[in-house]
Amino acid sequence: MDSPWDDLTLAFSHTSMFPFFDIAHYLVSVMAMKRQPGAAELARQNPVSSWFTAMLHCFGGGILSCMLLAEPPLKFLTNHTNVLLASSIWYIIFFCPCDLVSQAYSYLPVQLLAAGMKEVTRTWKIVGGVTHANSYYRNGWIVMIAIGWARGAGGAIMTKFEQLVKGDWKPGSDEWLKMSYPSKLTLLGSIMFTFQHTEHLAVSKHNLMFFYTVFLVTTKITMMVTETSSVTLAPFEDTLSRVLFGWQKQFSWCEKKSETKPSSNGTGSSASKPTAGASESVKKKHAKKTG
Amino acid sequence: MDSPWDDLTLAFSHTSMFPFFDIAHYLVSVMAMKRQPGAAELARQNPVSSWFTAMLHCFGGGILSCMLLAEPPLKFLTNHTNVLLASSIWYIIFFCPCDLVSQAYSYLPVQLLAAGMKEVTRTWKIVGGVTHANSYYRNGWIVMIAIGWARGAGGAIMTKFEQLVKGDWKPGSDEWLKMSYPSKLTLLGSIMFTFQHTEHLAVSKHNLMFFYTVFLVTTKITMMVTETSSVTLAPFEDTLSRVLFGWQKQFSWCEKKSETKPSSNGTGSSASKPTAGASESVKKKHAKKTG
Amino acid sequence: MDSPWDDLTLAFSHTSMFPFFDIAHYLVSVMAMKRQPGAAELARQNPVSSWFTAMLHCFGGGILSCMLLAEPPLKFLTNHTNVLLASSIWYIIFFCPCDLVSQAYSYLPVQLLAAGMKEVTRTWKIVGGVTHANSYYRNGWIVMIAIGWARGAGGAIMTKFEQLVKGDWKPGSDEWLKMSYPSKLTLLGSIMFTFQHTEHLAVSKHNLMFFYTVFLVTTKITMMVTETSSVTLAPFEDTLSRVLFGWQKQFSWCEKKSETKPSSNGTGSSASKPTAGASESVKKKHAKKTG
């Protein structure tokens, strides 16, 4: 317990997010907002709306988790220090003369540093969400996973919803819930921290926080340097998906039937040839009734 | 009080929904979801999103009533047994080899049984919603009606909203709030149970539950067998609508004026002929100002 | 303290909103709803939906502030008297024979009286919202401003959202958060009452209420009589905007750089000529990476 390694990770897990990591998080969030087309002009024409959007980008995860737990979504506004910090960063980024901050941010090392620090705050948010949900629902592990996930990755959902309402963005049926890579990592982390909290995972919390943070930061920086969007989880996902949802493929003797299945889904394709079998005719009767 | 009839209805009102009726409800809900075009492919490509949609279909009414009472919308997740049950049914329906469940479900008797059992859960949900709202707002009978209605029929609203957000469905101004037939029946039931609860309706609760359930199940099965969509309420509605909203038609001496009325609604039709009268000219002046 | 003037404003600040001012508010709200194209027909075809929309118009601010404070959005339904009053006014306006109410309302003096009385209720709502938020979060002055604003001007947001969901209205990216003139005035009032409440503004509450109400009513009536949409705040806004967001324009030596800035915003304009400078090339590299 008292090994130097434990001391190190324990000290790491007690790091305060407040001034520097929070600043990095707000910086990355507001810069991501500024890169959207039209954001800079909107800030000049309607600063209140732009400030509101910036707050959603900075505090989106907290707002979402508050809504899911029926706490006031405005609770983040009571933390005056953080709101003023985020507002200052929004102000500096959008209204600094000569766009100095944007130019400084365009150096890759600055971006790497800020992005890495932002990923550190993600771990803290997940742990905070899991602990907070546990104080509501003892042993409610599904809720704990959901709240940890919402607080860690909910900002993306809030900002997408905000864009939807503002009409900047039309949803396609295939993209709304397609999970981004950070979202998947956050889900994974939320599951791990929940199981650690319910003591199904025999590892101390500060060790898990340390390793998960290192993993987050290295993957993020690797992705930024190599300019790829998602690497490491693909084989893991494929295996899991094949185990959970792909084992039906082995039943080759019903392959033919399942090929003709889509015709009963109401899509109205007329391709299903009248092959034999009682079940087929039943299915058709059914399709006629519901179509 | 101790007649055999009362014994029967009392025993009926104490039936537990848990294993079998809940299964029927989840089965009908997830099958309705699967019949939407694209649902089967979505489940293979993005199981998390499909699972989330299935949960909305299964627990939508409870989520909506929680939101309306400012309770955590995630509260349903703390009932692990029901969530796992619904998840299992979702898994079996979407990933069973050879689509066995869908084929079994395509037999009409199976559908009738499941749909009938689902309607039984509706009664229990309305009663639960009314009682729950009463524990918050004693004598708040409008809230009781609303919560009973939301819990009984809110799943449809939640799933429509989810489709709207996902972009699967564009709203038309005429269809969003057009009430479906089950929705109307649920509203009627919610009103009856609320008045029973506030003792304005002199009938015992178990009798009312029994008769309302029998009415729900018989109309549902009749509708499924005869393949009609709504039968019984139409004359009742017509009468009510004529009494409440149609009595103005008797005032034939102002028929002419109300015919020219739509022109002041801002629709910009230029059909209003300049008939005489001071009020007409005032109206025109007004339309010009607001148009 | 006991001057006749103080007596007058104190008596004014104790005026009850209940019967008459509330009626004026409901009247103006429902008439605004009726003027939307299609509202009159919708009321005949689907009275429940029309009633629901009318309630949103009448109680929208309260519903929004309840949601922001995680109180039940249905709480307004427990005030039976007000709900019945608003429902009666909805009924009379939409179903009165010969459309008598609409014709009476089309006289300008009636409109002026109703609109003036509605503005009085706005002051009371702002004060109520600020006080209510203070009971939750002592010293949470940002929350107090937000709740006062939401309760005073949130009805417009709720009704726009309702139209969005019903498909009556497609949002453009430039109009959703563009603040209307009443919305700006309400924000100003909410800030003033919050600072009065936290004792940063050395004026008694009843005096502030009196002067703010007089200001609201006179601007509203002036706007209605002169048929303009916004007058008085423009120079104030311009000054504030120039002080807060326009001082960067003085730095003329970086004007040229900021002109070429939009090209790195991802809008994909190819107008940025390859002028010299290390920072320019860095910016381009960055634009390529994020574009």
Side-chain angles (χ1 to χ4, degrees):
Chain A
M1 183 65 87
D2 282 306
S3 70
W5 175 256
D6 263 328
D7 284 349
L8 174 74
T9 56
L10 200 59
F12 174 78
S13 76
H14 287 155
T15 314
S16 168
M17 286 299 106
F18 169 54
F20 301 115
F21 292 92
D22 279 346
I23 288 177
H25 170 59
Y26 301 147
L27 187 67
V28 174
S29 304
V30 178
M31 284 307 301
M33 171 193 156
K34 195 183 179 185
R35 260 180 226 145
Q36 288 168 11
E41 293 92 82
L42 179 71
R44 290 190 188 277
Q45 289 166 12
N46 193 345
V48 174
S49 160
S50 174
W51 177 81
F52 182 73
T53 310
M55 290 303 107
L56 272 187
H57 272 81
C58 290
F59 300 101
I63 295 172
L64 184 66
S65 79
C66 275
M67 285 198 292
L68 291 179
L69 284 174
E71 294 179 345
L74 288 185
K75 216 175 69 171
F76 76 95
L77 287 177
T78 57
N79 191 342
H80 292 162
T81 324
N82 275 357
V83 171
L84 292 182
L85 193 59
S87 303
S88 313
I89 286 169
W90 163 78
Y91 186 78
I92 289 174
I93 286 180
F94 275 98
F95 299 108
C96 184
C98 314
D99 229 350
L100 281 177
V101 176
S102 299
Q103 289 187 27
Y105 188 76
S106 63
Y107 288 101
L108 191 59
V110 177
Q111 284 189 25
L112 289 181
L113 182 67
M117 288 171 81
K118 179 190 154 80
E119 292 304 309
V120 176
T121 67
R122 197 187 292 274
T123 311
W124 262 246
K125 279 183 203 154
I126 296 172
V127 174
V130 167
T131 315
H132 190 60
N134 187 49
S135 72
Y136 273 78
Y137 299 109
R138 199 153 299 281
N139 298 321
W141 55 272
I142 309 183
V143 179
M144 287 158 76
I145 293 175
I147 297 296
W149 191 20
R151 202 177 282 188
I157 292 176
M158 290 300 291
T159 49
K160 267 198 183 171
F161 192 75
E162 189 245 346
Q163 288 170 17
L164 176 72
V165 165
K166 280 168 75 181
D168 283 346
W169 179 73
K170 300 284 169 225
S173 60
D174 53 341
E175 43 177 321
W176 173 254
L177 284 167
K178 190 188 287 177
M179 290 159 70
S180 66
Y181 185 69
S183 177
K184 282 176 191 165
L185 277 189
T186 311
L187 177 59
L188 187 70
S190 189
I191 292 172
M192 285 197 303
F193 282 107
T194 299
F195 284 147
Q196 193 279 329
H197 207 278
T198 56
E199 299 178 355
H200 288 97
L201 204 68
V203 65
S204 64
K205 192 185 225 168
H206 50 269
N207 273 327
L208 186 59
M209 281 173 78
F210 182 78
F211 285 119
Y212 181 67
T213 309
V214 168
F215 175 65
L216 274 185
V217 172
T218 48
T219 46
K220 179 73 184 177
I221 288 181
T222 313
M223 277 162 57
M224 286 180 76
V225 172
T226 59
E227 301 189 9
T228 52
S229 63
S230 73
V231 219
T232 46
L233 283 186
F236 178 67
E237 264 179 66
D238 270 1
T239 313
L240 192 71
S241 164
R242 208 171 302 127
V243 168
L244 281 178
F245 308 116
W247 53 270
Q248 302 88 345
K249 296 288 168 61
Q250 303 165 0
F251 295 80
S252 56
W253 47 270
C254 60
E255 194 82 348
K256 219 167 47 183
K257 282 180 196 166
S258 62
E259 260 170 28
T260 59
K261 190 74 200 124
S263 64
S264 72
N265 270 338
T267 49
S269 68
S270 56
S272 68
K273 280 195 285 183
T275 49
S279 76
E280 193 62 35
S281 65
V282 167
K283 240 163 48 182
K284 282 181 147 285
K285 192 173 127 194
H286 172 68
K288 205 166 57 189
K289 197 162 67 60
T290 62
Chain B
M1 183 65 86
D2 281 307
S3 69
W5 175 255
D6 262 328
D7 284 349
L8 174 73
T9 57
L10 200 60
F12 174 77
S13 76
H14 287 155
T15 314
S16 168
M17 286 298 105
F18 168 54
F20 301 116
F21 292 92
D22 279 345
I23 288 176
H25 170 59
Y26 302 147
L27 186 68
V28 174
S29 303
V30 179
M31 284 307 301
M33 170 193 157
K34 195 183 180 185
R35 259 179 227 148
Q36 288 168 11
E41 292 92 81
L42 178 71
R44 288 188 190 277
Q45 288 167 14
N46 192 345
V48 174
S49 159
S50 174
W51 177 82
F52 183 74
T53 310
M55 289 303 108
L56 271 187
H57 272 80
C58 289
F59 300 101
I63 295 172
L64 184 66
S65 79
C66 275
M67 286 197 292
L68 291 179
L69 285 174
E71 294 179 345
L74 289 185
K75 216 175 71 172
F76 76 94
L77 286 178
T78 57
N79 192 342
H80 292 164
T81 324
N82 275 357
V83 171
L84 292 182
L85 192 60
S87 303
S88 313
I89 286 169
W90 164 78
Y91 186 79
I92 290 175
I93 286 179
F94 276 96
F95 298 109
C96 184
C98 315
D99 229 348
L100 281 176
V101 176
S102 299
Q103 289 187 27
Y105 188 76
S106 62
Y107 287 101
L108 192 57
V110 177
Q111 285 189 25
L112 288 181
L113 182 66
M117 287 171 82
K118 178 189 156 81
E119 292 304 308
V120 175
T121 68
R122 196 187 292 274
T123 310
W124 262 246
K125 280 183 202 154
I126 296 172
V127 173
V130 167
T131 315
H132 189 60
N134 187 50
S135 72
Y136 273 79
Y137 299 110
R138 199 151 299 283
N139 296 323
W141 54 273
I142 309 184
V143 180
M144 287 159 76
I145 292 175
I147 297 296
W149 192 20
R151 202 175 281 189
I157 292 176
M158 289 301 291
T159 49
K160 267 199 182 169
F161 192 76
E162 189 246 346
Q163 289 170 16
L164 176 72
V165 166
K166 280 168 74 182
D168 282 347
W169 178 74
K170 301 284 170 226
S173 60
D174 53 342
E175 43 178 320
W176 171 255
L177 284 167
K178 190 187 285 177
M179 291 159 70
S180 66
Y181 185 69
S183 178
K184 282 174 190 165
L185 276 189
T186 312
L187 177 59
L188 187 70
S190 188
I191 291 172
M192 284 197 304
F193 282 108
T194 300
F195 284 147
Q196 193 278 327
H197 206 279
T198 56
E199 298 180 352
H200 288 98
L201 203 67
V203 66
S204 64
K205 191 185 227 171
H206 51 268
N207 273 329
L208 186 58
M209 282 173 78
F210 182 78
F211 285 119
Y212 182 66
T213 309
V214 167
F215 175 65
L216 275 185
V217 172
T218 48
T219 47
K220 179 73 183 177
I221 288 182
T222 313
M223 276 162 58
M224 286 180 77
V225 171
T226 60
E227 300 189 9
T228 53
S229 63
S230 72
V231 219
T232 44
L233 283 185
F236 178 67
E237 264 179 66
D238 270 1
T239 312
L240 192 71
S241 164
R242 209 172 301 128
V243 168
L244 281 178
F245 309 117
W247 53 270
Q248 301 88 344
K249 295 288 167 63
Q250 304 164 0
F251 296 80
S252 56
W253 47 269
C254 60
E255 195 81 350
K256 219 167 46 182
K257 282 180 195 168
S258 61
E259 262 170 28
T260 59
K261 189 71 200 130
S263 64
S264 72
N265 270 340
T267 48
S269 67
S270 56
S272 68
K273 280 194 286 183
T275 48
S279 74
E280 193 61 37
S281 65
V282 168
K283 237 159 54 183
K284 283 180 148 284
K285 192 172 125 194
H286 172 69
K288 205 168 54 187
K289 195 164 66 62
T290 61
Chain C
M1 184 65 87
D2 282 305
S3 69
W5 175 256
D6 262 329
D7 283 352
L8 174 72
T9 56
L10 199 60
F12 174 77
S13 76
H14 286 154
T15 313
S16 168
M17 285 298 106
F18 168 54
F20 301 116
F21 292 92
D22 279 345
I23 287 177
H25 170 60
Y26 302 146
L27 186 68
V28 174
S29 304
V30 179
M31 284 308 300
M33 170 193 157
K34 195 183 179 184
R35 260 178 226 148
Q36 288 168 8
E41 293 91 82
L42 179 70
R44 288 189 190 277
Q45 287 166 14
N46 192 346
V48 175
S49 159
S50 175
W51 177 82
F52 182 75
T53 310
M55 290 302 107
L56 271 187
H57 272 79
C58 289
F59 300 101
I63 296 172
L64 184 66
S65 79
C66 275
M67 285 196 293
L68 291 179
L69 285 173
E71 293 179 346
L74 288 185
K75 216 174 72 173
F76 76 94
L77 287 177
T78 57
N79 192 342
H80 291 162
T81 323
N82 276 356
V83 171
L84 292 182
L85 193 60
S87 303
S88 313
I89 286 169
W90 163 78
Y91 186 78
I92 290 174
I93 285 180
F94 276 97
F95 299 108
C96 184
C98 315
D99 230 348
L100 281 176
V101 176
S102 299
Q103 289 187 27
Y105 189 76
S106 62
Y107 287 101
L108 191 58
V110 176
Q111 284 189 26
L112 289 180
L113 181 67
M117 288 171 82
K118 178 189 155 80
E119 292 304 309
V120 175
T121 67
R122 197 187 293 273
T123 311
W124 263 245
K125 277 183 204 155
I126 297 173
V127 174
V130 168
T131 316
H132 190 61
N134 187 50
S135 71
Y136 273 78
Y137 299 109
R138 200 151 300 281
N139 298 321
W141 54 271
I142 310 183
V143 179
M144 287 158 76
I145 293 175
I147 297 295
W149 192 20
R151 201 176 283 188
I157 292 176
M158 289 301 291
T159 49
K160 268 199 181 170
F161 193 76
E162 189 246 346
Q163 288 169 18
L164 177 71
V165 166
K166 279 167 75 181
D168 282 346
W169 179 73
K170 301 284 168 225
S173 60
D174 54 341
E175 43 177 320
W176 171 255
L177 284 167
K178 189 187 287 177
M179 290 159 69
S180 66
Y181 185 70
S183 178
K184 282 175 190 166
L185 276 190
T186 311
L187 177 59
L188 187 70
S190 188
I191 292 173
M192 285 197 303
F193 282 108
T194 300
F195 284 147
Q196 194 278 329
H197 206 278
T198 56
E199 298 178 354
H200 289 98
L201 204 68
V203 65
S204 64
K205 191 184 227 169
H206 51 268
N207 272 329
L208 187 57
M209 282 174 78
F210 182 77
F211 286 118
Y212 182 67
T213 309
V214 167
F215 175 64
L216 274 185
V217 172
T218 48
T219 47
K220 179 72 185 179
I221 288 182
T222 313
M223 277 163 57
M224 286 181 77
V225 170
T226 60
E227 301 189 9
T228 53
S229 64
S230 71
V231 219
T232 45
L233 283 187
F236 178 68
E237 263 179 67
D238 270 0
T239 313
L240 192 71
S241 165
R242 209 172 302 128
V243 168
L244 282 178
F245 309 116
W247 54 270
Q248 302 88 343
K249 295 287 166 63
Q250 304 165 0
F251 296 81
S252 55
W253 48 269
C254 60
E255 196 82 348
K256 219 167 48 183
K257 282 181 197 167
S258 63
E259 260 170 26
T260 59
K261 189 71 199 127
S263 64
S264 72
N265 269 339
T267 49
S269 67
S270 56
S272 70
K273 279 195 285 184
T275 47
S279 75
E280 193 62 35
S281 66
V282 166
K283 239 162 51 185
K284 281 183 147 283
K285 191 173 126 194
H286 172 69
K288 204 167 57 187
K289 197 164 67 63
T290 61

